[in-house]
Amino acid sequence: MYPKQFARRALLALGLSAVTLASLSVNAQTQHDGSAAKPLRVVLVPADGGTEDGTKKDFEPIFSAIGKSTGLVFDIKVGQSYATVVEAMCSGAADIAWYGPASYLQAKGRGCAELLALAVRHGESVYYSGIFARNDAGINSISDLKGKKIALGDVNSTSSFNVPVAMMLAAGVSPARDASSINMAGSHANVLKALAEGLVDAGGASFDSFEKAVNAKAIDPAKVKVVVKSAPIPYPPIAVHPKVSDAIKAKLRDAFNNVDKLPGITKDQIRGYGGGKVDGYTAKVSEQDMANAGKMFDLVTDQVKTDIMKKASTR
């Protein structure tokens, strides 16, 4: 699925050296142990179009507090794309990763990820995707998207691509066939920016991202409507490589379960998807729930993705 040339580009995008690349076959056999000499390598998906520094700052307090309580050492990086993060985990260049549900399932399917923890907000570990439209675009239902300009995020994003596309397909709308144009904006924030600037009529994004854009005054909620809201989606998970030792996994799960009680971190510093404040994390996670979530976008086949990308490249 992932040719060696792509793997090399993806890993170089993480700032990994040629020496590291050459030793991946060895590193893949033995994951790091969290010592100062072999810190646990954490790779994060680029959240919501945010900067690398911003995404790291969202998670550094959590891993710093966990490190102080467990003695484990972490090295945190941000991938340039969702695919980069999957490849880092599956090549043995990462021990822990933060994914969207769709990219997690890709890594899980390749045998290189298992659930570690999910954020908890208002007593739940779920979030929502949606299709948003400009009020002046004449869109009141999914069927009204035919002939309209649509923006979508990263092709591996759960809530800015896979779920919005699945909801369209389930309603009888094929983006590649029926949209007048498709803007592959690359992130939730860019989808909403295109919507705010009138470059598109509608777009797919998470409700968390929409709330963040509204709070940042990047989009005027009075000019945008919700066309459809998805069913609940499991929160973007933190995953661990299966080859990390059981002892380290146990330490990590205990720490995530109690992160809101650990010294050295305030409630305001406990962040999740898109930098949003969350109540804490739970390691009581269900692989079956995540697999069930994948059924939400079963309609989004590789051919559907190819057709959408082809449409997006047409000017």
Coordinates of all heavy atoms in Angstrom, one line a residue, residues 4-59:
K4 N 8.1 2.1 -0.9 CA 9.3 2.6 -0.1 C 9.6 4.1 -0.3 O 10.0 4.8 0.6 CB 10.5 1.7 -0.4 CG 10.4 0.3 0.1 CD 11.6 -0.5 -0.2 CE 11.5 -2.0 0.3 NZ 12.7 -2.8 -0.1
Q5 N 9.4 4.5 -1.6 CA 9.8 5.9 -1.9 C 8.9 6.8 -1.1 O 9.3 7.8 -0.5 CB 9.6 6.1 -3.4 CG 10.0 7.5 -3.8 CD 9.9 7.7 -5.3 OE1 9.3 6.9 -6.0 NE2 10.4 8.8 -5.8
F6 N 7.6 6.5 -1.0 CA 6.7 7.3 -0.2 C 7.1 7.3 1.3 O 7.1 8.3 2.0 CB 5.2 6.9 -0.3 CG 4.3 7.6 0.6 CD1 3.8 8.8 0.3 CD2 3.9 7.0 1.8 CE1 3.0 9.5 1.2 CE2 3.1 7.7 2.7 CZ 2.6 8.9 2.4
A7 N 7.4 6.1 1.8 CA 7.8 6.0 3.2 C 9.0 6.9 3.5 O 9.0 7.5 4.5 CB 8.1 4.5 3.5
R8 N 9.9 6.9 2.6 CA 11.1 7.7 2.8 C 10.8 9.2 2.8 O 11.2 9.9 3.7 CB 12.1 7.4 1.7 CG 13.5 8.1 1.9 CD 14.4 7.8 0.8 NE 15.7 8.5 0.9 CZ 16.7 8.0 1.7 NH1 16.5 6.9 2.3 NH2 17.8 8.7 1.8
R9 N 9.9 9.6 1.9 CA 9.5 11.0 1.9 C 8.8 11.4 3.2 O 9.0 12.4 3.7 CB 8.6 11.3 0.7 CG 9.4 11.3 -0.6 CD 8.5 12.1 -1.7 NE 7.2 11.6 -1.8 CZ 6.9 10.6 -2.7 NH1 7.8 10.1 -3.5 NH2 5.6 10.2 -2.8
A10 N 7.9 10.5 3.6 CA 7.1 10.8 4.8 C 7.9 10.9 6.0 O 7.7 11.8 6.8 CB 6.0 9.7 5.0
L11 N 8.9 10.0 6.1 CA 9.7 10.0 7.3 C 10.7 11.2 7.3 O 11.0 11.8 8.3 CB 10.5 8.7 7.4 CG 9.6 7.5 7.7 CD1 10.3 6.2 7.4 CD2 9.2 7.5 9.2
L12 N 11.2 11.6 6.1 CA 12.0 12.8 6.0 C 11.2 14.0 6.4 O 11.8 15.0 6.9 CB 12.6 12.9 4.6 CG 13.7 11.9 4.3 CD1 14.1 12.0 2.8 CD2 15.0 12.2 5.1
A13 N 9.9 14.0 6.1 CA 9.1 15.1 6.5 C 9.0 15.3 8.0 O 8.7 16.4 8.5 CB 7.7 14.9 5.9
L14 N 9.2 14.2 8.7 CA 9.3 14.3 10.2 C 10.6 14.8 10.7 O 10.8 14.9 11.9 CB 8.9 12.9 10.8 CG 7.5 12.5 10.8 CD1 7.4 11.0 11.2 CD2 6.7 13.3 11.8
G15 N 11.5 15.0 9.8 CA 12.9 15.5 10.2 C 13.8 14.3 10.6 O 14.8 14.5 11.3
L16 N 13.5 13.1 10.1 CA 14.3 12.0 10.4 C 15.5 11.9 9.4 O 15.3 12.1 8.3 CB 13.5 10.7 10.4 CG 12.3 10.7 11.3 CD1 11.5 9.4 11.1 CD2 12.8 10.8 12.8
S17 N 16.7 11.6 10.0 CA 17.9 11.6 9.1 C 18.0 10.4 8.3 O 17.3 9.4 8.5 CB 19.1 11.7 10.0 OG 19.2 10.5 10.8
A18 N 18.9 10.4 7.3 CA 19.1 9.2 6.5 C 19.7 8.1 7.3 O 19.4 6.9 7.1 CB 20.2 9.6 5.4
V19 N 20.4 8.4 8.4 CA 21.0 7.3 9.2 C 19.8 6.6 9.9 O 19.7 5.4 10.1 CB 21.9 7.9 10.3 CG1 22.3 6.9 11.3 CG2 23.2 8.5 9.6
T20 N 18.8 7.5 10.4 CA 17.6 6.9 11.1 C 16.9 6.0 10.1 O 16.5 4.9 10.4 CB 16.7 8.0 11.6 OG1 17.4 8.8 12.5 CG2 15.5 7.4 12.3
L21 N 16.7 6.5 8.9 CA 16.0 5.7 7.9 C 16.7 4.4 7.6 O 16.1 3.3 7.5 CB 16.0 6.5 6.5 CG 15.0 7.7 6.6 CD1 15.2 8.5 5.3 CD2 13.6 7.3 6.6
A22 N 18.0 4.4 7.6 CA 18.8 3.2 7.3 C 18.7 2.2 8.4 O 18.8 1.0 8.2 CB 20.3 3.5 7.1
S23 N 18.4 2.7 9.6 CA 18.3 1.8 10.8 C 16.9 1.4 11.1 O 16.7 0.7 12.1 CB 19.0 2.4 12.0 OG 18.3 3.6 12.4
L24 N 15.9 1.8 10.3 CA 14.5 1.5 10.7 C 14.2 0.0 10.8 O 13.4 -0.4 11.7 CB 13.6 2.1 9.7 CG 13.3 3.6 9.8 CD1 12.4 4.1 8.7 CD2 12.7 3.9 11.2
S25 N 14.9 -0.8 10.0 CA 14.6 -2.2 10.1 C 15.0 -2.8 11.4 O 14.4 -3.7 11.9 CB 15.3 -3.0 8.9 OG 16.7 -2.8 9.1
V26 N 16.0 -2.2 12.0 CA 16.4 -2.6 13.4 C 15.5 -2.1 14.4 O 15.0 -2.7 15.3 CB 17.9 -2.2 13.6 CG1 18.3 -2.5 15.1 CG2 18.8 -2.9 12.6
N27 N 15.2 -0.7 14.3 CA 14.4 -0.1 15.3 C 13.0 -0.6 15.3 O 12.4 -0.7 16.4 CB 14.3 1.4 14.9 CG 15.6 2.2 15.2 OD1 16.4 1.7 16.0 ND2 15.7 3.4 14.7
A28 N 12.5 -1.1 14.2 CA 11.1 -1.6 14.2 C 11.0 -2.9 15.0 O 9.9 -3.2 15.4 CB 10.7 -1.9 12.7
Q29 N 12.1 -3.6 15.2 CA 12.1 -4.8 16.0 C 12.0 -4.5 17.5 O 11.5 -5.3 18.3 CB 13.3 -5.7 15.7 CG 13.5 -6.1 14.2 CD 12.3 -6.8 13.7 OE1 11.8 -7.7 14.4 NE2 11.8 -6.4 12.6
T30 N 12.6 -3.4 17.9 CA 12.6 -3.0 19.4 C 12.2 -1.6 19.5 O 12.9 -0.7 19.2 CB 14.0 -3.2 19.9 OG1 14.5 -4.6 19.7 CG2 14.0 -3.0 21.4
Q31 N 11.0 -1.4 20.1 CA 10.5 0.0 20.3 C 11.3 0.6 21.5 O 12.0 -0.1 22.3 CB 9.1 0.0 20.7 CG 8.2 -0.6 19.6 CD 8.3 0.1 18.3 OE1 8.5 -0.5 17.3 NE2 8.1 1.4 18.3
H32 N 11.3 1.9 21.6 CA 12.1 2.6 22.6 C 11.5 2.3 24.0 O 10.3 2.0 24.1 CB 12.1 4.1 22.3 CG 13.1 4.4 21.2 ND1 13.6 5.7 21.1 CD2 13.7 3.7 20.3 CE1 14.5 5.7 20.1 NE2 14.6 4.5 19.6
D33 N 12.3 2.5 25.0 CA 11.9 2.1 26.4 C 11.5 3.3 27.3 O 11.3 3.1 28.5 CB 12.9 1.2 27.0 CG 14.3 1.9 27.1 OD1 14.4 3.1 26.9 OD2 15.3 1.2 27.5
G34 N 11.6 4.5 26.8 CA 11.2 5.7 27.6 C 12.4 6.1 28.5 O 12.2 7.0 29.3
S35 N 13.6 5.6 28.2 CA 14.7 6.1 29.0 C 15.2 7.4 28.3 O 14.8 7.8 27.2 CB 15.9 5.1 29.0 OG 16.3 4.9 27.6
A36 N 16.2 8.1 28.9 CA 16.7 9.3 28.3 C 17.5 9.0 27.0 O 17.5 9.8 26.1 CB 17.7 10.0 29.3
A37 N 18.1 7.8 27.0 CA 18.8 7.4 25.8 C 17.8 7.0 24.7 O 18.1 7.1 23.5 CB 19.8 6.3 26.1
K38 N 16.7 6.4 25.1 CA 15.7 5.9 24.1 C 14.3 6.4 24.5 O 13.5 5.6 24.9 CB 15.8 4.4 24.0 CG 17.0 3.8 23.4 CD 16.9 2.3 23.2 CE 18.1 1.8 22.5 NZ 18.0 0.3 22.3
P39 N 14.1 7.7 24.3 CA 12.8 8.2 24.7 C 11.7 7.7 23.9 O 11.9 7.3 22.7 CB 12.9 9.8 24.5 CG 14.0 9.9 23.4 CD 15.0 8.7 23.7
L40 N 10.5 7.6 24.4 CA 9.3 7.2 23.6 C 9.0 8.3 22.6 O 8.8 9.5 23.0 CB 8.1 7.0 24.6 CG 8.2 5.8 25.5 CD1 7.1 5.8 26.5 CD2 8.2 4.5 24.7
R41 N 9.0 7.9 21.3 CA 8.8 8.9 20.2 C 7.3 9.0 20.0 O 6.6 8.1 19.6 CB 9.5 8.4 19.0 CG 11.1 8.2 19.2 CD 11.7 7.2 18.3 NE 11.1 5.9 18.5 CZ 11.4 4.8 17.8 NH1 12.2 4.9 16.7 NH2 10.8 3.6 18.0
V42 N 6.9 10.3 20.2 CA 5.4 10.6 20.0 C 5.3 11.4 18.7 O 6.0 12.4 18.5 CB 4.9 11.4 21.2 CG1 3.4 11.7 21.0 CG2 5.2 10.7 22.5
V43 N 4.4 11.0 17.8 CA 4.1 11.8 16.6 C 2.6 12.1 16.6 O 1.8 11.3 16.8 CB 4.5 10.9 15.4 CG1 4.3 11.8 14.1 CG2 6.0 10.5 15.4
L44 N 2.4 13.4 16.3 CA 1.0 13.9 16.3 C 0.5 14.3 15.0 O 1.3 14.8 14.2 CB 0.9 15.2 17.2 CG 1.6 15.1 18.6 CD1 1.6 16.5 19.3 CD2 0.8 14.1 19.5
V45 N -0.7 14.0 14.6 CA -1.3 14.5 13.4 C -1.3 16.0 13.4 O -1.5 16.6 14.5 CB -2.7 13.9 13.0 CG1 -2.6 12.4 12.8 CG2 -3.7 14.3 14.1
P46 N -1.2 16.7 12.3 CA -1.2 18.2 12.3 C -2.7 18.6 12.5 O -3.5 18.5 11.7 CB -0.8 18.5 10.9 CG -1.1 17.3 10.0 CD -0.9 16.1 11.0
A47 N -3.0 19.1 13.7 CA -4.3 19.3 14.1 C -4.9 20.6 13.6 O -4.4 21.7 13.8 CB -4.4 19.4 15.7
D48 N -6.0 20.5 12.9 CA -6.9 21.6 12.6 C -6.1 22.7 11.8 O -6.5 23.9 12.0 CB -7.5 22.2 13.9 CG -8.8 22.9 13.7 OD1 -9.4 22.7 12.6 OD2 -9.2 23.6 14.6
G49 N -5.1 22.4 11.1 CA -4.4 23.4 10.3 C -3.5 24.3 11.2 O -3.0 25.3 10.8
G50 N -3.3 23.9 12.5 CA -2.5 24.6 13.4 C -1.0 24.5 13.1 O -0.6 23.7 12.3
T51 N -0.2 25.4 13.7 CA 1.2 25.3 13.5 C 1.8 24.1 14.2 O 1.2 23.5 15.2 CB 1.9 26.6 14.0 OG1 1.7 26.6 15.5 CG2 1.3 27.8 13.4
E52 N 3.0 23.7 13.8 CA 3.6 22.6 14.5 C 3.8 22.9 16.0 O 3.6 22.1 16.9 CB 5.0 22.3 13.9 CG 5.7 21.2 14.6 CD 7.0 20.8 13.8 OE1 7.1 21.1 12.6 OE2 7.9 20.2 14.5
D53 N 4.3 24.1 16.3 CA 4.5 24.5 17.7 C 3.2 24.5 18.4 O 3.2 24.1 19.6 CB 5.2 25.9 17.7 CG 6.6 25.9 17.3 OD1 7.2 24.8 17.3 OD2 7.2 27.0 17.0
G54 N 2.1 25.0 17.8 CA 0.9 25.0 18.5 C 0.3 23.7 18.8 O -0.2 23.4 19.9
T55 N 0.5 22.7 17.9 CA 0.0 21.4 18.2 C 0.8 20.7 19.3 O 0.3 20.0 20.1 CB 0.1 20.5 16.9 OG1 -0.7 21.1 15.8 CG2 -0.4 19.1 17.1
K56 N 2.1 20.9 19.3 CA 3.0 20.4 20.3 C 2.6 21.0 21.7 O 2.6 20.3 22.7 CB 4.5 20.7 20.0 CG 5.1 19.8 18.9 CD 6.5 20.1 18.7 CE 7.4 19.7 19.8 NZ 8.8 19.9 19.5
K57 N 2.4 22.3 21.7 CA 2.0 22.9 23.0 C 0.7 22.4 23.6 O 0.6 22.4 24.8 CB 1.9 24.5 22.8 CG 3.3 25.1 22.6 CD 3.2 26.6 22.4 CE 4.6 27.3 22.2 NZ 4.4 28.7 21.9
D58 N -0.2 21.9 22.7 CA -1.4 21.4 23.2 C -1.2 20.1 24.0 O -1.9 19.8 25.0 CB -2.4 21.0 22.0 CG -2.9 22.3 21.3 OD1 -2.9 23.3 22.0 OD2 -3.3 22.2 20.2
F59 N -0.2 19.3 23.6 CA 0.1 18.0 24.2 C 1.3 18.0 25.2 O 1.4 17.0 26.0 CB 0.2 16.9 23.1 CG -1.1 16.6 22.5 CD1 -1.5 17.3 21.4 CD2 -1.9 15.6 23.0 CE1 -2.8 17.0 20.8 CE2 -3.1 15.3 22.4 CZ -3.5 16.0 21.3

